[in-house]
Amino acid sequence: MPGATRGATRGATQGAVRGVIYDGAGTRVVDDLQVRDPGPGEVQVAIAAAGLCHSDLSVVDGTIPFPVPVVLGHEGAGVVEAVGAGVGHVAPGDHVALSTLANCGACAECDRGRPTMCRQAIGRPGRPFTWGGRPVYQFASNSAFAERTVVKAVQAVRIPEDVPLTSAALIGCGVLTGVGAVLNRARVEQGDTVLVIGTGGIGLNVLQGARIAGASRIVAVDANPAKEAVARRFGATDFLTSADGVKDLLPTGADHAFECVGRVELIRAAIDSLDRHGQAVLLGVPPATAEATFLVSSMYLDKSILGCRYGSSRPQRDIALYARLYREGRLLLDELVTATYPVEDYEKAAADAHAGRVARAVLTF
């Protein structure tokens, strides 16, 4: 960075900020959270909006084990406040969407274009926050449920200022995961048939990813019939309340089946729904010890089961692509935002998300 010295920051600000903390016993909204200045290769961002994802709830209910206390949130967008030494691709004042992937950029996996597999980005939570003098962990290298956060520079992706930040916030997790699973992992081709089990925030993005890819038939399955209208808006050509009826619509099976709920019986349903050469993509997150079963003999017609981490994405490329598709009217973002809540209303937002009353609840600062 021209004119900067090692460790220097531009535009750094100080002071206590609001945030949502999980301490192992419960969540609380605090207003005395402290966050350090960005160091070399880091960016400080004033968060404007953050989506409430099921993964945040999974930390609270224990499905995703994580050290505590931790500042929650991992799907956010805001404005750059300060940058550390060596950061040149964003500057104070830039609007950015944040990825959860703090990949190193130098390991063999990153070099192969597979940053979601970077071992430096997995299981090494930092602690850039303090609360009451005690260090606090950062969730998913992000902690977007804070008025201000510090992330690795690679996580901050500049977006056009005409993309609303409440909508842009959702790109960094739900959109990258769902659309990315279709385009990057499954590589759905024009004319393929697609089954999507679960039409929450991830499932809706799988639906629109399949639409963007040109799938000929897109079957959505969700136990809640009230979700049919929004599923069709995002790309579903058919809607069912049970996977039992899939073969009536796709007699030979689906080319691609995406399980977006995280229940082992639905994983089995996705596998059983496949056509020859079909592939089941697992996106839902069941408990860490969950085991699924399937008929081994059913796999010998070139079928496959694929795991997928974070949409197999390359965030610096993909976030910019999805922002462009939004501006062209091809990617729906505004429609994902069911309701916005001031951060002080986190508990209400969490209750609505847990009850399935929203596709995405967005916290605002």
Side-chain angles (χ1 to χ4, degrees):
M1 182 178 65
T5 59
R6 179 176 292 275
T9 63
R10 289 186 288 158
T13 57
Q14 299 292 335
V17 299
R18 294 171 293 164
V20 179
I21 287 179
Y22 174 61
D23 63 5
T27 55
R28 65 181 75 186
V29 180
V30 302
D31 60 7
D32 55 351
L33 191 66
Q34 300 285 339
V35 59
R36 63 170 173 75
D37 288 338
E42 294 181 333
V43 176
Q44 185 183 86
V45 178
I47 297 294
L52 176 55
C53 176
H54 185 72
S55 295
D56 299 302
L57 301 178
S58 294
V59 172
V60 177
D61 68 21
T63 302
I64 297 178
F66 205 86
V68 294
V70 56
V71 179
L72 296 173
H74 63 285
E75 187 180 69
V79 179
V80 174
E81 283 194 331
V83 299
V87 177
H89 73 292
V90 294
D94 285 346
H95 286 209
V96 293
L98 302 182
S99 83
T100 69
L101 197 65
N103 62 294
C104 73
C107 69
E109 298 294 347
C110 288
D111 190 55
R112 293 186 182 107
R114 300 195 296 231
T116 59
M117 295 296 105
C118 175
R119 288 177 171 81
Q120 299 299 318
I122 301 174
R124 301 186 181 192
R127 293 195 287 183
F129 301 98
T130 56
W131 177 52
R134 180 184 179 186
V136 180
Y137 286 101
Q138 185 172 42
F139 180 52
S141 303
N142 190 307
S143 288
F145 292 172
E147 201 168 6
R148 185 180 300 127
T149 191
V150 171
V151 298
K152 298 293 185 183
V154 71
Q155 296 176 255
V157 184
R158 188 168 58 183
I159 57 173
E161 292 188 10
D162 60 359
V163 179
L165 291 173
T166 50
S167 298
L170 305 185
I171 300 177
C173 179
V175 176
L176 276 181
T177 298
V179 178
V182 174
L183 302 183
N184 300 328
R185 186 66 169 127
R187 299 184 181 273
V188 172
E189 296 182 352
Q190 189 165 353
D192 285 352
T193 57
V194 172
L195 169 66
V196 182
I197 300 177
T199 61
I202 299 300
L204 290 178
N205 281 298
V206 173
L207 288 171
Q208 68 173 333
R211 171 178 52 79
I212 291 168
S216 62
R217 199 160 190 181
I218 306 169
V219 179
V221 175
D222 198 291
N224 184 355
K227 292 187 175 182
E228 179 173 0
V230 69
R232 289 185 180 275
R233 186 173 191 181
F234 275 75
T237 60
D238 302 270
F239 184 90
L240 298 169
T241 55
S242 170
D244 293 340
V246 171
K247 287 295 180 71
D248 294 331
L249 298 176
L250 303 173
T252 62
D255 294 316
H256 311 273
F258 297 83
E259 200 283 340
C260 306
V261 181
R263 288 169 46 186
V264 294
E265 67 271 23
L266 296 179
I267 291 173
R268 173 63 183 267
I271 295 168
D272 288 347
S273 73
L274 295 176
D275 195 358
R276 299 183 178 197
H277 219 285
Q279 51 187 12
V281 183
L282 310 186
L283 296 176
V285 182
T289 57
E291 296 182 358
T293 62
F294 60 93
L295 292 174
V296 176
S297 60
S298 71
M299 303 301 294
Y300 290 117
L301 293 174
D302 283 1
K303 300 179 185 181
S304 55
I305 302 170
L306 305 179
C308 184
R309 174 175 164 80
Y310 202 37
S312 301
S313 62
R314 286 189 270 173
Q316 284 288 335
R317 178 199 67 175
D318 291 349
I319 289 176
L321 168 63
Y322 299 154
R324 178 168 62 81
L325 292 178
Y326 166 79
R327 297 176 83 204
E328 294 172 356
R330 298 170 60 192
L331 183 79
L332 304 181
L333 292 179
D334 303 339
E335 295 80 359
L336 286 168
V337 182
T338 310
T340 59
Y341 306 75
V343 68
E344 290 79 9
D345 289 345
Y346 165 80
E347 292 296 343
K348 183 179 187 319
D352 288 347
H354 185 75
R357 290 189 286 267
V358 293
R360 254 317 187 257
V362 175
L363 301 179
T364 57
F365 291 89

